[in-house]
Short mmCIF file of all heavy atoms in Angstrom, two decimals:
data_model
loop_
_atom_site.label_atom_id
_atom_site.label_comp_id
_atom_site.label_asym_id
_atom_site.label_seq_id
_atom_site.Cartn_x
_atom_site.Cartn_y
_atom_site.Cartn_z
N TYR A 1 0.85 -1.18 0.00
CA TYR A 1 0.00 0.00 0.00
C TYR A 1 0.89 1.23 0.00
O TYR A 1 1.55 1.51 1.00
CB TYR A 1 -0.92 0.03 1.23
CG TYR A 1 -2.00 -1.02 1.21
CD1 TYR A 1 -2.04 -1.99 2.19
CD2 TYR A 1 -2.98 -1.03 0.22
CE1 TYR A 1 -3.03 -2.96 2.19
CE2 TYR A 1 -3.96 -1.99 0.19
CZ TYR A 1 -3.98 -2.96 1.19
OH TYR A 1 -4.95 -3.91 1.17
N PRO A 2 0.94 1.97 -1.13
CA PRO A 2 1.78 3.17 -1.18
C PRO A 2 1.41 4.13 -0.04
O PRO A 2 0.26 4.26 0.34
CB PRO A 2 1.44 3.78 -2.54
CG PRO A 2 0.98 2.61 -3.36
CD PRO A 2 0.24 1.72 -2.40
N GLY A 3 2.41 4.76 0.49
CA GLY A 3 2.21 5.67 1.60
C GLY A 3 2.35 4.93 2.93
O GLY A 3 3.20 5.27 3.74
N MET A 4 1.55 3.92 3.14
CA MET A 4 1.64 3.14 4.36
C MET A 4 2.97 2.40 4.43
O MET A 4 3.62 2.37 5.48
CB MET A 4 0.49 2.14 4.45
CG MET A 4 0.51 1.32 5.72
SD MET A 4 -0.89 0.17 5.80
CE MET A 4 -0.10 -1.31 5.20
N THR A 5 3.39 1.82 3.32
CA THR A 5 4.63 1.05 3.29
C THR A 5 5.83 1.94 3.55
O THR A 5 6.68 1.62 4.39
CB THR A 5 4.78 0.32 1.94
OG1 THR A 5 3.64 -0.51 1.74
CG2 THR A 5 6.03 -0.51 1.91
N GLU A 6 5.91 3.06 2.87
CA GLU A 6 7.03 3.98 3.08
C GLU A 6 7.09 4.47 4.53
O GLU A 6 8.18 4.53 5.12
CB GLU A 6 6.94 5.17 2.12
CG GLU A 6 7.19 4.84 0.67
CD GLU A 6 5.95 4.32 -0.07
OE1 GLU A 6 4.90 4.09 0.57
OE2 GLU A 6 6.04 4.12 -1.29
N ALA A 7 5.94 4.78 5.10
CA ALA A 7 5.90 5.25 6.49
C ALA A 7 6.40 4.16 7.44
O ALA A 7 7.17 4.45 8.37
CB ALA A 7 4.49 5.68 6.88
N ALA A 8 6.00 2.93 7.21
CA ALA A 8 6.44 1.82 8.06
C ALA A 8 7.95 1.60 7.93
O ALA A 8 8.64 1.38 8.93
CB ALA A 8 5.68 0.54 7.71
N LEU A 9 8.48 1.67 6.72
CA LEU A 9 9.92 1.48 6.52
C LEU A 9 10.72 2.62 7.13
O LEU A 9 11.79 2.40 7.71
CB LEU A 9 10.25 1.33 5.04
CG LEU A 9 9.63 0.12 4.32
CD1 LEU A 9 10.17 0.02 2.90
CD2 LEU A 9 9.83 -1.16 5.08
N HIS A 10 10.21 3.84 7.03
CA HIS A 10 10.87 4.98 7.69
C HIS A 10 10.92 4.77 9.20
O HIS A 10 11.93 5.06 9.84
CB HIS A 10 10.16 6.29 7.36
CG HIS A 10 10.63 6.95 6.11
ND1 HIS A 10 11.81 7.63 6.01
CD2 HIS A 10 10.06 7.00 4.87
CE1 HIS A 10 11.96 8.09 4.79
NE2 HIS A 10 10.92 7.72 4.07
N ASP A 11 9.82 4.28 9.76
CA ASP A 11 9.77 4.04 11.21
C ASP A 11 10.79 2.98 11.62
O ASP A 11 11.53 3.17 12.60
CB ASP A 11 8.36 3.61 11.62
CG ASP A 11 8.25 3.41 13.11
OD1 ASP A 11 8.58 4.33 13.87
OD2 ASP A 11 7.84 2.30 13.52
N ILE A 12 10.86 1.88 10.88
CA ILE A 12 11.81 0.81 11.18
C ILE A 12 13.25 1.34 11.07
O ILE A 12 14.09 1.09 11.93
CB ILE A 12 11.58 -0.40 10.25
CG1 ILE A 12 10.24 -1.05 10.56
CG2 ILE A 12 12.72 -1.42 10.38
CD1 ILE A 12 9.76 -2.04 9.50
N ALA A 13 13.53 2.09 10.00
CA ALA A 13 14.88 2.63 9.81
C ALA A 13 15.23 3.64 10.90
O ALA A 13 16.36 3.68 11.39
CB ALA A 13 15.01 3.25 8.42
N SER A 14 14.26 4.46 11.31
CA SER A 14 14.51 5.43 12.39
C SER A 14 14.82 4.73 13.70
O SER A 14 15.70 5.16 14.45
CB SER A 14 13.30 6.35 12.57
OG SER A 14 13.13 7.17 11.45
N GLN A 15 14.12 3.63 13.97
CA GLN A 15 14.41 2.86 15.17
C GLN A 15 15.84 2.31 15.13
O GLN A 15 16.56 2.35 16.13
CB GLN A 15 13.43 1.70 15.31
CG GLN A 15 12.02 2.12 15.66
CD GLN A 15 11.10 0.91 15.72
OE1 GLN A 15 11.42 -0.10 16.33
NE2 GLN A 15 9.94 1.04 15.09
N ALA A 16 16.25 1.79 13.98
CA ALA A 16 17.61 1.25 13.84
C ALA A 16 18.65 2.35 14.03
O ALA A 16 19.66 2.15 14.70
CB ALA A 16 17.79 0.59 12.47
N MET A 17 18.39 3.52 13.44
CA MET A 17 19.33 4.64 13.56
C MET A 17 19.56 4.99 15.04
O MET A 17 20.70 5.15 15.47
CB MET A 17 18.79 5.88 12.83
CG MET A 17 18.68 5.76 11.33
SD MET A 17 20.20 6.08 10.46
CE MET A 17 20.48 7.80 10.83
N ALA A 18 18.49 5.09 15.80
CA ALA A 18 18.60 5.48 17.20
C ALA A 18 19.19 4.37 18.06
O ALA A 18 20.06 4.61 18.89
CB ALA A 18 17.22 5.88 17.73
N ARG A 19 18.73 3.17 17.85
CA ARG A 19 19.13 2.05 18.70
C ARG A 19 20.60 1.70 18.56
O ARG A 19 21.24 1.30 19.52
CB ARG A 19 18.26 0.85 18.37
CG ARG A 19 18.51 -0.31 19.25
CD ARG A 19 17.48 -1.38 19.05
NE ARG A 19 17.68 -2.41 20.04
CZ ARG A 19 16.78 -3.27 20.41
NH1 ARG A 19 15.57 -3.21 19.90
NH2 ARG A 19 17.05 -4.18 21.30
N PHE A 20 21.15 1.82 17.35
CA PHE A 20 22.51 1.36 17.09
C PHE A 20 23.48 2.50 16.77
O PHE A 20 24.55 2.27 16.24
CB PHE A 20 22.51 0.31 15.97
CG PHE A 20 21.65 -0.86 16.33
CD1 PHE A 20 20.38 -0.98 15.79
CD2 PHE A 20 22.09 -1.81 17.23
CE1 PHE A 20 19.56 -2.06 16.14
CE2 PHE A 20 21.29 -2.88 17.59
CZ PHE A 20 20.02 -3.00 17.03
N SER A 21 23.09 3.72 17.07
CA SER A 21 23.94 4.89 16.82
C SER A 21 24.46 4.92 15.40
O SER A 21 25.64 5.17 15.15
CB SER A 21 25.12 4.91 17.82
OG SER A 21 24.65 4.95 19.14
N LEU A 22 23.57 4.65 14.46
CA LEU A 22 23.96 4.66 13.05
C LEU A 22 24.12 6.09 12.56
O LEU A 22 23.36 6.98 12.94
CB LEU A 22 22.91 3.94 12.19
CG LEU A 22 22.65 2.48 12.53
CD1 LEU A 22 21.57 1.91 11.61
CD2 LEU A 22 23.92 1.64 12.43
N GLY A 23 25.10 6.29 11.71
CA GLY A 23 25.28 7.58 11.06
C GLY A 23 24.37 7.73 9.86
O GLY A 23 24.03 8.84 9.47
N ASP A 24 23.97 6.59 9.28
CA ASP A 24 23.10 6.62 8.11
C ASP A 24 22.52 5.23 7.89
O ASP A 24 23.08 4.23 8.37
CB ASP A 24 23.88 7.06 6.87
CG ASP A 24 22.98 7.63 5.77
OD1 ASP A 24 21.74 7.66 5.95
OD2 ASP A 24 23.53 8.06 4.74
N ALA A 25 21.41 5.18 7.17
CA ALA A 25 20.80 3.91 6.80
C ALA A 25 20.11 4.08 5.45
O ALA A 25 19.64 5.17 5.11
CB ALA A 25 19.78 3.45 7.85
N LEU A 26 20.08 3.00 4.71
CA LEU A 26 19.43 2.95 3.40
C LEU A 26 18.58 1.69 3.35
O LEU A 26 19.05 0.61 3.72
CB LEU A 26 20.48 2.91 2.29
CG LEU A 26 20.00 2.58 0.87
CD1 LEU A 26 19.10 3.68 0.33
CD2 LEU A 26 21.20 2.35 -0.05
N VAL A 27 17.35 1.85 2.88
CA VAL A 27 16.46 0.70 2.65
C VAL A 27 15.86 0.87 1.26
O VAL A 27 15.24 1.90 0.98
CB VAL A 27 15.33 0.61 3.70
CG1 VAL A 27 14.39 -0.55 3.37
CG2 VAL A 27 15.88 0.48 5.10
N ILE A 28 16.07 -0.12 0.41
CA ILE A 28 15.43 -0.16 -0.90
C ILE A 28 14.65 -1.46 -0.96
O ILE A 28 15.20 -2.54 -0.67
CB ILE A 28 16.46 -0.13 -2.05
CG1 ILE A 28 17.30 1.14 -2.00
CG2 ILE A 28 15.75 -0.26 -3.41
CD1 ILE A 28 18.45 1.16 -3.00
N HIS A 29 13.38 -1.38 -1.33
CA HIS A 29 12.57 -2.60 -1.48
C HIS A 29 11.74 -2.46 -2.75
O HIS A 29 11.10 -1.44 -2.97
CB HIS A 29 11.66 -2.79 -0.27
CG HIS A 29 11.24 -4.22 -0.08
ND1 HIS A 29 10.49 -4.92 -1.01
CD2 HIS A 29 11.47 -5.07 0.93
CE1 HIS A 29 10.29 -6.15 -0.56
NE2 HIS A 29 10.88 -6.27 0.62
N ARG A 30 11.78 -3.50 -3.55
CA ARG A 30 11.02 -3.48 -4.80
C ARG A 30 9.65 -4.10 -4.62
O ARG A 30 9.40 -4.86 -3.70
CB ARG A 30 11.80 -4.23 -5.88
CG ARG A 30 13.09 -3.51 -6.25
CD ARG A 30 13.86 -4.22 -7.32
NE ARG A 30 13.05 -4.30 -8.54
CZ ARG A 30 13.27 -5.18 -9.51
NH1 ARG A 30 14.27 -6.05 -9.41
NH2 ARG A 30 12.52 -5.20 -10.59
N TYR A 31 8.78 -3.80 -5.56
CA TYR A 31 7.46 -4.43 -5.64
C TYR A 31 7.18 -4.72 -7.11
O TYR A 31 7.95 -4.33 -8.00
CB TYR A 31 6.38 -3.54 -5.01
CG TYR A 31 6.15 -2.24 -5.75
CD1 TYR A 31 5.21 -2.15 -6.78
CD2 TYR A 31 6.88 -1.10 -5.43
CE1 TYR A 31 5.01 -0.96 -7.46
CE2 TYR A 31 6.69 0.09 -6.10
CZ TYR A 31 5.75 0.15 -7.12
OH TYR A 31 5.56 1.33 -7.79
N GLY A 32 6.11 -5.44 -7.36
CA GLY A 32 5.76 -5.83 -8.72
C GLY A 32 6.15 -7.27 -8.97
O GLY A 32 6.31 -8.06 -8.05
N ARG A 33 6.32 -7.61 -10.23
CA ARG A 33 6.64 -8.98 -10.64
C ARG A 33 8.15 -9.12 -10.80
O ARG A 33 8.75 -8.40 -11.60
CB ARG A 33 5.91 -9.31 -11.94
CG ARG A 33 6.02 -10.75 -12.35
CD ARG A 33 5.20 -10.99 -13.63
NE ARG A 33 5.31 -12.35 -14.08
CZ ARG A 33 4.43 -13.30 -13.82
NH1 ARG A 33 3.35 -13.03 -13.11
NH2 ARG A 33 4.61 -14.53 -14.28
N LEU A 34 8.75 -10.04 -10.05
CA LEU A 34 10.19 -10.26 -10.09
C LEU A 34 10.48 -11.73 -10.39
O LEU A 34 9.79 -12.61 -9.89
CB LEU A 34 10.83 -9.89 -8.74
CG LEU A 34 10.90 -8.40 -8.44
CD1 LEU A 34 9.62 -7.91 -7.80
CD2 LEU A 34 12.05 -8.13 -7.52
N ALA A 35 11.51 -11.96 -11.18
CA ALA A 35 11.91 -13.32 -11.57
C ALA A 35 12.99 -13.83 -10.60
O ALA A 35 13.68 -13.04 -9.96
CB ALA A 35 12.46 -13.31 -12.99
N PRO A 36 13.14 -15.15 -10.52
CA PRO A 36 14.23 -15.69 -9.70
C PRO A 36 15.57 -15.09 -10.12
O PRO A 36 15.83 -14.91 -11.31
CB PRO A 36 14.18 -17.19 -9.99
CG PRO A 36 12.76 -17.44 -10.38
CD PRO A 36 12.34 -16.21 -11.14
#
């Protein structure tokens, strides 16, 4: 669900940033039809 998914991933990444004193984080996730 566009919007909801990005917000959830931002929340997860923000938690990781704070919890592990990260200087930066990147999350890329694809959707659609993907082949092996």
Side-chain angles (χ1 to χ4, degrees):
Y1 290 118
M4 181 178 97
T5 303
E6 290 84 354
L9 298 186
H10 273 284
D11 182 55
I12 293 167
S14 293
Q15 289 178 47
M17 294 277 295
R19 184 170 187 159
F20 302 101
S21 301
L22 300 179
D24 203 358
L26 168 66
V27 177
I28 300 173
H29 203 297
R30 294 181 60 201
Y31 65 90
R33 188 177 178 97
L34 288 86

